[in-house]
Amino acid sequence: MTQQMPIRVYYEDTDAGGVVYHARYLHFFERARTEFLRELGFEQQKLLVDFHLAFVVRKMQIDYRTAAKLDDALVVETQIRQLKQASIVFEQKLLREDELLSEATVLVATVDLSKMKPIPMPEEIRAVLAAE
């Protein structure tokens, strides 16, 4: 499954020249992963309460190709590339119409918040993610 999330570039996302600041791409990708999980029924707060679990970014590789600019209408595409026992690898793309602006590979670990240690993903979550 590839989920698409629209994003509008606001003034707060840009530098004085109206170009999106590089760290904002991380924000765009983070929001899209959160919405991807939400669409599958896994809200972050519910995961914390029900499972004492959080998905935390362990590693991210990002490629900046072309700058996004003030008022651009963008889309973040998110999909799962790999699912392991205690982690997920997401592939994400930031697009302006058909133009690829940036892409990221993000390794997200499943962590027990009380211990701040990686744990296996609960089977009910893993089964839903594996079906995608």
Side-chain angles (χ1 to χ4, degrees), residues 67-85:
K69 297 180 181 166
L70 182 63
D71 289 328
D72 278 352
L74 308 175
V75 172
V76 178
E77 289 185 352
T78 302
Q79 63 182 0
I80 294 175
R81 184 176 86 182
Q82 187 176 34
L83 184 61
K84 295 185 177 181
Q85 286 301 111

Side-chain angles (χ1 to χ4, degrees), residues 96-129:
R96 180 177 45 223
E97 296 179 0
D98 291 333
E99 182 181 14
L100 179 62
L101 305 182
S102 179
E103 56 189 334
T105 302
V106 186
L107 173 62
V108 176
T110 311
V111 173
D112 177 329
L113 285 181
S114 64
K115 299 175 185 171
M116 292 306 292
K117 302 250 182 204
I119 58 170
M121 196 176 311
E123 187 51 42
E124 59 217 76
I125 296 172
R126 195 174 181 335
V128 171
L129 296 175

Side-chain angles (χ1 to χ4, degrees), residues 1-3 32-44 47 51 53-55 78-90 108-110 120-132:
M1 168 185 130
T2 299
Q3 187 246 22
R33 286 191 311 278
T34 297
E35 291 305 318
F36 180 94
L37 292 169
R38 184 186 314 275
E39 277 189 21
L40 295 175
F42 304 117
E43 297 174 13
Q44 300 289 345
L47 291 172
F51 298 100
L53 174 146
F55 290 110
T78 302
Q79 63 182 0
I80 294 175
R81 184 176 86 182
Q82 187 176 34
L83 184 61
K84 295 185 177 181
Q85 286 301 111
S87 65
I88 307 167
V89 177
F90 288 98
V108 176
T110 311
M121 196 176 311
E123 187 51 42
E124 59 217 76
I125 296 172
R126 195 174 181 335
V128 171
L129 296 175
E132 294 308 314

